[in-house]
Coordinates of all heavy atoms in Angstrom, one line a residue:
M1 N -1.5 37.1 43.9 CA -1.9 36.8 42.6 C -2.5 35.3 42.5 O -1.9 34.4 43.1 CB -0.8 36.9 41.6 CG -0.9 38.2 40.8 SD 0.5 38.5 39.6 CE 0.5 37.0 38.7
K2 N -3.5 35.2 41.8 CA -4.1 33.9 41.6 C -3.3 33.1 40.5 O -3.0 33.7 39.5 CB -5.6 33.9 41.2 CG -6.5 34.1 42.3 CD -7.9 33.6 42.0 CE -8.6 34.5 40.9 NZ -10.0 34.1 40.7
P3 N -3.0 31.8 40.8 CA -2.3 31.1 39.7 C -3.2 31.0 38.5 O -4.4 30.8 38.6 CB -2.0 29.7 40.3 CG -2.9 29.6 41.5 CD -3.3 31.0 41.9
R4 N -2.6 31.1 37.3 CA -3.4 31.0 36.1 C -3.9 29.6 35.9 O -3.1 28.6 36.0 CB -2.6 31.4 34.9 CG -3.4 32.2 33.9 CD -2.4 33.0 33.0 NE -1.5 32.0 32.4 CZ -1.4 31.8 31.1 NH1 -2.1 32.4 30.3 NH2 -0.5 31.0 30.6
H5 N -5.2 29.4 35.6 CA -5.7 28.1 35.4 C -5.3 27.6 34.0 O -5.5 28.2 33.0 CB -7.2 28.1 35.5 CG -7.9 26.8 35.3 ND1 -7.7 25.7 36.1 CD2 -8.6 26.3 34.2 CE1 -8.4 24.7 35.6 NE2 -8.9 25.0 34.5
I6 N -4.7 26.4 34.0 CA -4.3 25.8 32.8 C -5.2 24.6 32.6 O -5.2 23.7 33.4 CB -2.8 25.3 32.8 CG1 -1.9 26.6 33.1 CG2 -2.4 24.6 31.5 CD1 -0.5 26.2 33.3
P7 N -6.0 24.6 31.5 CA -6.8 23.4 31.2 C -6.0 22.2 30.9 O -5.1 22.2 30.0 CB -7.7 23.9 30.0 CG -7.1 25.1 29.5 CD -6.1 25.6 30.4
M8 N -6.3 21.1 31.6 CA -5.6 19.9 31.4 C -6.5 18.9 30.8 O -7.7 18.8 31.0 CB -5.1 19.3 32.8 CG -4.2 20.2 33.6 SD -2.6 20.4 32.9 CE -1.8 19.0 33.6
R9 N -5.9 18.1 29.9 CA -6.6 17.0 29.2 C -5.8 15.7 29.3 O -4.5 15.8 29.4 CB -6.9 17.3 27.8 CG -7.8 18.5 27.6 CD -9.2 18.2 28.0 NE -10.1 19.4 27.7 CZ -10.3 20.4 28.6 NH1 -9.7 20.4 29.8 NH2 -11.2 21.3 28.3
T10 N -6.4 14.6 29.2 CA -5.7 13.3 29.3 C -5.6 12.7 27.9 O -6.5 12.7 27.1 CB -6.5 12.3 30.1 OG1 -6.7 12.9 31.4 CG2 -5.8 11.0 30.3
C11 N -4.3 12.4 27.6 CA -4.0 11.7 26.3 C -4.7 10.3 26.3 O -4.5 9.6 27.3 CB -2.5 11.6 26.1 SG -2.0 10.5 24.7
V12 N -5.4 10.0 25.3 CA -6.1 8.7 25.2 C -5.1 7.5 25.0 O -5.5 6.4 25.2 CB -7.2 8.6 24.2 CG1 -8.3 9.7 24.4 CG2 -6.7 8.7 22.7
V13 N -3.9 7.8 24.6 CA -2.9 6.8 24.3 C -2.1 6.4 25.5 O -2.0 5.3 25.9 CB -2.1 7.1 23.0 CG1 -1.1 6.0 22.7 CG2 -2.9 7.4 21.8
C14 N -1.4 7.4 26.1 CA -0.5 7.1 27.2 C -1.1 7.5 28.5 O -0.5 7.2 29.6 CB 0.8 7.8 27.0 SG 0.7 9.6 27.0
R15 N -2.3 8.1 28.5 CA -3.1 8.4 29.7 C -2.4 9.5 30.6 O -2.7 9.7 31.7 CB -3.4 7.2 30.7 CG -3.9 6.0 30.0 CD -5.2 6.2 29.3 NE -6.3 6.7 30.1 CZ -7.5 7.0 29.6 NH1 -7.8 6.9 28.4 NH2 -8.4 7.4 30.4
D16 N -1.4 10.2 30.0 CA -0.8 11.4 30.7 C -1.7 12.6 30.7 O -2.4 12.8 29.7 CB 0.5 11.7 29.9 CG 1.7 11.1 30.5 OD1 1.5 10.2 31.4 OD2 2.8 11.4 30.1
K17 N -1.7 13.3 31.8 CA -2.4 14.6 31.8 C -1.5 15.7 31.4 O -0.4 15.8 31.9 CB -3.0 14.9 33.2 CG -4.3 14.2 33.5 CD -5.0 15.0 34.6 CE -6.4 14.6 34.8 NZ -6.5 13.3 35.4
K18 N -1.9 16.5 30.4 CA -1.1 17.6 29.9 C -1.9 18.8 29.6 O -3.1 18.7 29.4 CB -0.4 17.1 28.6 CG 0.4 15.9 28.7 CD 1.4 15.8 27.5 CE 2.4 14.7 27.8 NZ 3.4 14.6 26.8
P19 N -1.2 20.0 29.6 CA -2.0 21.2 29.2 C -2.5 21.0 27.8 O -1.8 20.4 27.0 CB -0.9 22.3 29.2 CG 0.2 21.7 30.1 CD 0.2 20.2 30.0
K20 N -3.7 21.5 27.6 CA -4.4 21.3 26.4 C -3.6 21.6 25.1 O -3.7 21.0 24.1 CB -5.7 22.2 26.4 CG -6.9 21.7 25.8 CD -8.0 22.7 26.1 CE -9.0 22.8 25.0 NZ -10.0 23.8 25.3
Q21 N -2.8 22.7 25.3 CA -2.1 23.1 24.1 C -0.9 22.2 23.7 O -0.4 22.3 22.6 CB -1.6 24.6 24.2 CG -0.7 24.9 25.3 CD -1.5 25.4 26.5 OE1 -2.6 24.8 26.9 NE2 -1.1 26.5 27.1
E22 N -0.6 21.2 24.6 CA 0.4 20.2 24.2 C -0.2 19.0 23.6 O 0.5 18.0 23.4 CB 1.3 19.9 25.4 CG 2.2 21.0 25.9 CD 2.9 20.6 27.1 OE1 3.2 19.4 27.4 OE2 3.3 21.6 27.9
L23 N -1.5 19.0 23.4 CA -2.2 17.9 22.9 C -2.9 18.2 21.6 O -3.2 19.4 21.3 CB -3.3 17.4 23.9 CG -2.7 16.9 25.3 CD1 -3.8 17.1 26.3 CD2 -2.2 15.5 25.2
L24 N -3.2 17.2 20.8 CA -3.9 17.3 19.6 C -5.3 16.8 19.8 O -5.5 15.8 20.5 CB -3.3 16.5 18.4 CG -2.0 16.9 17.9 CD1 -1.5 15.7 17.1 CD2 -2.0 18.2 17.2
R25 N -6.3 17.5 19.4 CA -7.7 17.0 19.5 C -8.0 16.3 18.2 O -7.9 16.8 17.1 CB -8.7 18.2 19.7 CG -10.1 17.7 20.0 CD -11.0 18.8 20.6 NE -12.3 18.2 20.8 CZ -13.4 18.5 20.1 NH1 -13.3 19.3 19.1 NH2 -14.5 18.0 20.3
I26 N -8.4 15.0 18.4 CA -8.8 14.2 17.3 C -10.3 14.0 17.4 O -10.9 13.7 18.4 CB -8.2 12.8 17.3 CG1 -6.7 12.9 17.6 CG2 -8.5 12.0 16.0 CD1 -5.8 13.6 16.5
V27 N -11.0 14.2 16.3 CA -12.5 14.2 16.3 C -13.0 13.3 15.2 O -12.5 13.2 14.1 CB -13.0 15.6 16.0 CG1 -14.6 15.6 15.8 CG2 -12.7 16.6 17.2
R28 N -14.0 12.5 15.6 CA -14.8 11.8 14.6 C -16.1 12.6 14.4 O -16.9 12.8 15.3 CB -15.2 10.4 15.2 CG -16.1 9.6 14.2 CD -16.3 8.2 14.6 NE -16.8 8.0 15.9 CZ -18.1 7.9 16.2 NH1 -19.0 8.1 15.3 NH2 -18.5 7.8 17.5
T29 N -16.2 13.1 13.2 CA -17.3 14.0 12.8 C -18.6 13.2 12.7 O -18.5 12.0 12.5 CB -17.0 14.8 11.5 OG1 -17.0 13.8 10.4 CG2 -15.6 15.5 11.5
P30 N -19.7 13.9 12.7 CA -21.0 13.2 12.5 C -21.0 12.4 11.2 O -21.8 11.5 11.0 CB -22.0 14.3 12.6 CG -21.4 15.4 13.4 CD -19.9 15.3 13.0
E31 N -20.2 12.9 10.2 CA -20.1 12.2 8.9 C -19.3 10.9 9.0 O -19.1 10.2 8.0 CB -19.6 13.1 7.8 CG -20.5 14.3 7.5 CD -20.5 15.4 8.5 OE1 -19.4 15.7 9.1 OE2 -21.6 16.0 8.8
G32 N -18.6 10.7 10.1 CA -17.8 9.5 10.3 C -16.4 9.7 9.9 O -15.6 8.7 9.8
E33 N -16.0 10.9 9.6 CA -14.6 11.2 9.2 C -13.8 11.4 10.5 O -14.3 12.1 11.4 CB -14.6 12.5 8.5 CG -14.3 12.5 7.0 CD -14.0 13.8 6.4 OE1 -14.6 14.8 6.9 OE2 -13.1 13.9 5.6
V34 N -12.6 10.9 10.5 CA -11.7 11.2 11.6 C -10.7 12.2 11.2 O -10.0 12.1 10.2 CB -11.1 9.9 12.1 CG1 -10.2 10.1 13.3 CG2 -12.1 8.9 12.5
R35 N -10.6 13.3 12.0 CA -9.8 14.5 11.6 C -9.0 15.0 12.8 O -9.4 14.8 14.0 CB -10.7 15.6 11.2 CG -11.6 15.3 10.0 CD -11.0 15.6 8.7 NE -10.3 16.8 8.7 CZ -10.8 18.0 8.4 NH1 -12.1 18.1 8.1 NH2 -10.1 19.1 8.4
V36 N -7.9 15.6 12.5 CA -7.2 16.4 13.5 C -7.9 17.7 13.6 O -8.0 18.4 12.6 CB -5.7 16.6 13.2 CG1 -5.0 17.6 14.2 CG2 -4.9 15.3 13.2
D37 N -8.4 18.1 14.8 CA -9.1 19.3 15.0 C -8.2 20.4 15.4 O -8.1 20.8 16.5 CB -10.2 19.1 16.1 CG -11.1 20.3 16.3 OD1 -11.0 21.2 15.4 OD2 -11.8 20.3 17.3
S38 N -7.5 21.0 14.4 CA -6.4 22.0 14.7 C -7.1 23.3 15.1 O -6.5 24.0 15.9 CB -5.5 22.2 13.5 OG -6.3 22.3 12.3
G39 N -8.3 23.6 14.7 CA -8.9 24.8 15.1 C -9.7 24.7 16.4 O -10.1 25.7 17.0
G40 N -9.8 23.4 16.9 CA -10.5 23.2 18.2 C -12.0 23.4 18.1 O -12.7 23.6 19.1
R41 N -12.6 23.4 16.9 CA -14.0 23.7 16.9 C -14.8 22.7 16.0 O -16.0 23.0 15.7 CB -14.3 25.1 16.5 CG -13.7 25.6 15.1 CD -14.1 27.0 14.8 NE -13.2 27.9 15.3 CZ -12.1 28.3 14.6 NH1 -11.8 27.8 13.4 NH2 -11.2 29.2 15.1
L42 N -14.3 21.6 15.7 CA -15.1 20.6 15.0 C -16.0 19.9 16.0 O -15.6 19.7 17.1 CB -14.2 19.5 14.4 CG -13.3 19.9 13.2 CD1 -12.4 18.7 12.8 CD2 -14.2 20.3 12.0
S43 N -17.2 19.6 15.5 CA -18.1 18.9 16.4 C -18.0 17.4 16.2 O -17.5 17.0 15.1 CB -19.6 19.4 16.2 OG -20.0 19.0 14.9
G44 N -18.4 16.6 17.2 CA -18.3 15.2 17.1 C -17.6 14.7 18.3 O -17.3 15.4 19.2
R45 N -17.4 13.4 18.3 CA -16.7 12.7 19.4 C -15.2 12.9 19.4 O -14.6 12.6 18.4 CB -17.1 11.2 19.5 CG -16.6 10.6 20.7 CD -17.0 9.2 20.9 NE -16.4 8.8 22.2 CZ -16.9 9.0 23.4 NH1 -18.1 9.4 23.5 NH2 -16.2 8.6 24.5
G46 N -14.7 13.5 20.4 CA -13.3 13.8 20.4 C -12.4 13.1 21.4 O -12.9 12.6 22.4
G47 N -11.1 13.1 21.2 CA -10.2 12.6 22.1 C -8.9 13.4 22.0 O -8.6 13.9 20.9
Y48 N -8.1 13.4 23.0 CA -6.8 14.1 23.0 C -5.6 13.1 22.9 O -5.6 12.1 23.5 CB -6.7 15.0 24.2 CG -7.6 16.2 24.1 CD1 -8.9 16.1 24.6 CD2 -7.2 17.4 23.6 CE1 -9.7 17.1 24.6 CE2 -8.0 18.5 23.5 CZ -9.3 18.3 24.0 OH -10.2 19.4 24.0
V49 N -4.6 13.5 22.1 CA -3.4 12.7 21.9 C -2.3 13.7 22.0 O -2.3 14.8 21.5 CB -3.4 12.1 20.5 CG1 -2.1 11.4 20.2 CG2 -4.6 11.0 20.4
C50 N -1.2 13.3 22.7 CA 0.0 14.1 22.8 C 0.5 14.6 21.4 O 0.5 13.8 20.5 CB 1.2 13.4 23.4 SG 0.9 12.7 25.0
S51 N 0.9 15.8 21.3 CA 1.4 16.2 20.0 C 2.7 15.5 19.6 O 3.1 15.5 18.5 CB 1.6 17.8 19.9 OG 2.4 18.2 21.0
T52 N 3.3 15.0 20.7 CA 4.6 14.2 20.5 C 4.4 12.7 20.3 O 5.4 12.0 20.2 CB 5.5 14.5 21.7 OG1 4.8 14.1 22.9 CG2 5.9 15.9 21.7
E53 N 3.1 12.3 20.3 CA 2.9 10.9 20.3 C 3.5 10.2 19.0 O 3.5 10.8 18.0 CB 1.3 10.6 20.3 CG 0.9 9.3 20.9 CD 1.2 9.2 22.4 OE1 0.8 10.1 23.1 OE2 1.8 8.3 22.8
D54 N 3.9 9.0 19.2 CA 4.5 8.3 18.0 C 3.4 7.6 17.2 O 2.8 6.6 17.7 CB 5.5 7.3 18.6 CG 6.1 6.5 17.4 OD1 5.9 6.8 16.2 OD2 6.9 5.5 17.7
W55 N 3.1 8.2 16.1 CA 2.0 7.6 15.2 C 2.3 6.3 14.6 O 1.5 5.6 14.1 CB 1.6 8.6 14.2 CG 0.9 9.8 14.7 CD1 1.5 11.0 15.1 CD2 -0.5 9.9 15.0 NE1 0.5 11.8 15.6 CE2 -0.7 11.2 15.5 CE3 -1.6 9.1 14.8 CZ2 -2.0 11.7 15.9 CZ3 -2.9 9.5 15.1 CH2 -3.0 10.8 15.7
G56 N 3.6 5.9 14.7 CA 4.0 4.6 14.2 C 3.7 3.5 15.3 O 3.9 2.3 15.0
D57 N 3.4 3.9 16.5 CA 3.1 2.9 17.6 C 1.9 2.1 17.3 O 0.8 2.7 17.0 CB 3.0 3.7 18.9 CG 2.9 2.8 20.1 OD1 2.4 1.6 20.0 OD2 3.5 3.2 21.1
R58 N 1.9 0.8 17.4 CA 0.8 -0.1 17.1 C -0.4 0.2 18.0 O -1.5 -0.1 17.6 CB 1.2 -1.5 17.2 CG 2.3 -1.9 16.2 CD 2.8 -3.3 16.6 NE 1.7 -4.3 16.6 CZ 1.7 -5.3 17.4 NH1 2.6 -5.5 18.3 NH2 0.7 -6.2 17.4
Q59 N -0.1 0.6 19.2 CA -1.2 0.8 20.2 C -2.1 2.0 19.9 O -3.2 2.1 20.3 CB -0.6 1.1 21.6 CG 0.1 -0.1 22.1 CD 0.4 0.1 23.6 OE1 -0.4 -0.1 24.5 NE2 1.6 0.7 23.9
I60 N -1.6 2.9 19.1 CA -2.3 4.2 19.0 C -3.6 4.0 18.2 O -4.6 4.5 18.6 CB -1.4 5.3 18.3 CG1 -1.9 6.7 18.5 CG2 -1.3 5.0 16.8 CD1 -0.9 7.7 18.2
R61 N -3.6 3.0 17.3 CA -4.8 2.8 16.5 C -5.9 2.2 17.3 O -7.1 2.7 17.3 CB -4.4 1.8 15.4 CG -5.5 1.6 14.3 CD -4.9 0.8 13.2 NE -5.9 -0.2 12.8 CZ -5.6 -1.2 11.9 NH1 -4.4 -1.2 11.4 NH2 -6.5 -2.0 11.6
A62 N -5.6 1.2 18.2 CA -6.6 0.6 19.0 C -7.1 1.6 20.1 O -8.3 1.7 20.3 CB -6.1 -0.6 19.7
K63 N -6.2 2.3 20.7 CA -6.6 3.2 21.8 C -7.4 4.4 21.3 O -8.3 4.8 21.9 CB -5.3 3.6 22.6 CG -4.8 2.4 23.3 CD -3.7 2.9 24.3 CE -3.3 1.7 25.1 NZ -2.2 2.0 26.0
L64 N -6.9 5.0 20.2 CA -7.7 6.1 19.7 C -9.0 5.7 19.1 O -10.0 6.3 19.3 CB -6.8 6.8 18.6 CG -7.4 8.1 18.0 CD1 -7.5 9.1 19.1 CD2 -6.5 8.6 16.9
G65 N -9.0 4.5 18.5 CA -10.3 4.0 18.0 C -11.3 3.7 19.1 O -12.5 4.0 19.0
H66 N -10.8 3.2 20.2 CA -11.6 3.0 21.4 C -12.2 4.3 21.9 O -13.4 4.4 22.2 CB -10.8 2.2 22.4 CG -11.5 1.9 23.7 ND1 -12.4 0.9 23.8 CD2 -11.6 2.5 24.9 CE1 -13.0 0.9 25.0 NE2 -12.4 1.8 25.7
A67 N -11.3 5.3 22.0 CA -11.8 6.6 22.6 C -12.8 7.2 21.7 O -13.7 7.9 22.2 CB -10.6 7.5 22.7
L68 N -12.7 7.0 20.4 CA -13.6 7.7 19.4 C -14.8 6.8 19.1 O -15.6 7.1 18.3 CB -12.9 8.1 18.2 CG -11.7 9.1 18.3 CD1 -11.1 9.4 17.0 CD2 -12.2 10.4 19.0
K69 N -14.7 5.6 19.7 CA -15.8 4.5 19.4 C -15.9 4.3 17.9 O -17.0 4.3 17.3 CB -17.1 4.9 20.0 CG -17.0 5.1 21.5 CD -18.4 5.1 22.1 CE -18.5 5.4 23.6 NZ -17.6 4.5 24.4
T70 N -14.8 4.0 17.3 CA -14.8 3.7 15.9 C -13.7 2.8 15.5 O -12.7 2.6 16.4 CB -14.8 5.0 15.0 OG1 -15.0 4.6 13.6 CG2 -13.5 5.7 15.1
E71 N -13.7 2.2 14.4 CA -12.6 1.3 13.9 C -11.7 2.2 13.0 O -12.2 2.8 12.1 CB -13.1 0.2 13.0 CG -13.7 -0.9 13.8 CD -12.7 -1.9 14.5 OE1 -11.6 -2.1 13.9 OE2 -12.9 -2.4 15.6
L72 N -10.4 2.3 13.4 CA -9.5 3.1 12.6 C -8.7 2.2 11.7 O -8.3 1.2 12.1 CB -8.6 3.9 13.5 CG -9.2 5.0 14.3 CD1 -8.2 5.6 15.2 CD2 -9.8 6.1 13.4
T73 N -8.6 2.6 10.4 CA -7.7 1.8 9.5 C -6.3 2.4 9.6 O -6.1 3.5 10.1 CB -8.3 1.9 8.1 OG1 -8.1 3.3 7.7 CG2 -9.7 1.5 8.0
Q74 N -5.4 1.6 9.0 CA -4.0 2.1 9.0 C -4.0 3.4 8.1 O -3.2 4.3 8.4 CB -3.1 1.0 8.4 CG -1.6 1.3 8.6 CD -1.2 1.6 10.0 OE1 -1.7 1.0 11.0 NE2 -0.3 2.6 10.2
A75 N -4.8 3.5 7.1 CA -4.9 4.7 6.3 C -5.3 5.9 7.1 O -4.8 7.0 6.9 CB -5.8 4.4 5.1
D76 N -6.3 5.7 8.0 CA -6.7 6.8 8.9 C -5.5 7.3 9.7 O -5.3 8.5 9.9 CB -7.8 6.3 9.9 CG -9.2 6.1 9.2 OD1 -9.5 6.8 8.2 OD2 -9.9 5.1 9.6
I77 N -4.8 6.4 10.3 CA -3.7 6.7 11.1 C -2.6 7.5 10.3 O -2.1 8.5 10.8 CB -3.0 5.4 11.7 CG1 -4.0 4.8 12.7 CG2 -1.7 5.8 12.4 CD1 -4.4 5.6 13.9
E78 N -2.4 7.1 9.1 CA -1.4 7.8 8.3 C -1.9 9.2 7.9 O -1.1 10.1 7.9 CB -1.1 7.0 7.0 CG -0.1 5.9 7.3 CD 0.0 4.8 6.2 OE1 -0.4 5.1 5.0 OE2 0.3 3.7 6.5
R79 N -3.2 9.3 7.6 CA -3.7 10.6 7.3 C -3.6 11.6 8.6 O -3.2 12.7 8.5 CB -5.2 10.5 6.9 CG -5.7 11.7 6.2 CD -7.1 11.4 5.5 NE -7.9 10.5 6.3 CZ -8.6 10.8 7.4 NH1 -8.5 12.1 7.8 NH2 -9.3 9.9 8.0
L80 N -4.0 11.0 9.7 CA -3.9 11.8 11.0 C -2.5 12.2 11.3 O -2.2 13.4 11.7 CB -4.5 11.0 12.1 CG -6.0 10.8 12.1 CD1 -6.4 9.8 13.2 CD2 -6.8 12.1 12.3
S81 N -1.6 11.3 11.0 CA -0.2 11.6 11.3 C 0.3 12.7 10.4 O 1.0 13.6 10.8 CB 0.6 10.3 11.0 OG 2.0 10.6 10.8
N82 N -0.2 12.7 9.1 CA 0.2 13.8 8.2 C -0.4 15.1 8.7 O 0.2 16.1 8.7 CB -0.3 13.5 6.8 CG 0.6 12.4 6.1 OD1 1.7 12.3 6.5 ND2 0.0 11.8 5.2
E83 N -1.7 15.1 9.0 CA -2.4 16.3 9.5 C -1.7 16.8 10.7 O -1.6 18.0 10.9 CB -3.9 16.0 9.8 CG -4.7 15.9 8.5 CD -6.2 15.8 8.8 OE1 -6.7 16.3 9.9 OE2 -6.9 15.1 8.0
A84 N -1.3 15.9 11.6 CA -0.7 16.3 12.9 C 0.6 17.0 12.7 O 1.0 17.9 13.4 CB -0.6 15.1 13.8
G85 N 1.3 16.6 11.6 CA 2.6 17.1 11.4 C 2.6 18.5 10.6 O 3.6 19.1 10.5
E86 N 1.4 18.9 10.3 CA 1.3 20.1 9.4 C 1.5 21.4 10.2 O 1.9 22.4 9.6 CB 0.0 20.2 8.7 CG 0.1 19.5 7.3 CD -1.2 19.2 6.6 OE1 -2.2 19.9 7.0 OE2 -1.3 18.3 5.8
D87 N 1.2 21.5 11.5 CA 1.4 22.7 12.2 C 2.6 22.8 13.0 O 3.7 22.7 12.7 CB 0.2 23.0 13.1 CG -0.1 21.9 14.0 OD1 -0.6 20.8 13.6 OD2 0.1 22.0 15.2
Ligands
LIG1 ZN1 0.3 10.6 25.0

């Protein structure tokens, strides 16, 4: 039997490689909104973050902002944290 291929992605915050389903996809849409892409089908520049990542960590804002090539405000982080906690 062939081993099942598990798609791996790298978390932009801690640089760990994890199966895609253990990560959240964060997307900056063409409108400039930053969203948690829970359906996996938003277009725009995206990055992956562990679903267990600590949104209170000061590093997350800079690292995620860098990955998405945008400036994130503390309000963005709080909104993402709320969206991330919904599922
Ligand atoms: Zn991580």
Side-chain angles (χ1 to χ4, degrees):
M1 254 177 57
K2 276 205 293 188
R4 216 161 58 115
H5 177 70
I6 302 170
M8 303 289 275
R9 295 290 183 273
T10 305
C11 169
V12 300
V13 180
C14 63
R15 312 302 301 175
D16 266 4
K17 273 205 169 70
K18 298 197 172 186
K20 215 172 144 184
Q21 57 266 49
E22 290 178 25
L23 298 157
L24 295 167
R25 184 166 182 254
I26 313 295
V27 171
R28 176 167 59 86
T29 68
E31 292 76 37
E33 253 193 320
V34 180
R35 304 272 314 273
V36 174
D37 183 13
S38 46
R41 57 178 91 86
L42 288 176
S43 65
R45 185 171 178 91
Y48 289 87
V49 173
C50 302
S51 54
T52 54
E53 206 69 51
D54 178 7
W55 288 92
D57 190 323
R58 300 169 55 217
Q59 291 193 85
I60 201 165
R61 189 170 135 190
K63 290 190 174 176
L64 187 59
H66 180 77
L68 300 181
K69 298 196 190 303
T70 188
E71 284 281 326
L72 293 173
T73 64
Q74 193 54 39
D76 288 326
I77 293 297
E78 279 163 25
R79 193 168 39 76
L80 290 171
S81 160
N82 286 336
E83 284 187 29
E86 269 167 22
D87 54 288

